[in-house]
Amino acid sequence: QVQLVESGGGLVQPGGSLRLSCAPSGSIFSINAMGWYRQAPGKQREWVASITSGGSTNYAGSVKGRFTISRDNAKNTVYLQMNSLKPEDTAVYYCNSGRYSGSVYYSSDSWGQGTQVTVSS
């Protein structure tokens, strides 16, 4: 099973930026699609963004134009750059090592502990 460790969360004011990082274990990183999800209090976990092994990306409508997912295969790390943050972006953010079928990302059962992002003035 893939071990995932997220980092980079914190408290930021509305309009601010944060960059999250995720470092999966093992040598599968370069051949797996990766995704970011988030879960706000009292809500279900939702998909935020995903990236193929080749670097193609997809975004949820609520974050498109503000968030950027990227990966560095040499560093075995996937990132989520979050700009123009809003209070509704407040959630625990998780990365996931999954797969694509066509243009749809499917998560695996491997989740990290998550990292808290709080957007508040």
Side-chain angles (χ1 to χ4, degrees):
Q1 191 172 7
V2 178
Q3 301 295 316
L4 300 166
V5 180
E6 302 94 338
S7 62
L11 173 64
V12 63
Q13 292 186 340
S17 298
L18 282 174
R19 188 177 79 158
L20 307 183
S21 300
C22 172
S25 63
S27 60
I28 65 169
F29 176 78
S30 63
I31 62 173
N32 268 32
M34 299 293 298
W36 283 98
Y37 287 71
R38 66 187 181 186
Q39 187 167 18
K43 295 188 177 181
Q44 289 189 332
R45 189 172 298 183
E46 64 174 356
W47 169 77
V48 173
S50 52
I51 186 168
T52 69
S53 57
S56 297
T57 59
N58 296 91
Y59 299 92
S62 59
V63 307
K64 198 169 187 178
R66 300 188 298 122
F67 290 11
T68 302
I69 187 172
S70 62
R71 65 192 298 160
D72 186 335
N73 289 342
K75 294 184 177 180
N76 218 37
T77 303
V78 62
Y79 303 98
L80 185 67
Q81 177 68 43
M82 306 185 294
N83 299 328
S84 302
L85 282 161
K86 305 175 181 180
E88 50 264 43
D89 295 318
T90 295
V92 179
Y93 283 72
Y94 301 88
C95 73
N96 179 267
S97 176
R99 63 179 179 86
Y100 267 89
S101 178
S103 61
V104 179
Y105 178 84
Y106 291 90
S107 64
S108 70
D109 292 333
S110 296
W111 299 95
Q113 82 290 347
T115 185
Q116 176 70 48
V117 172
T118 303
V119 185
S120 175
S121 55

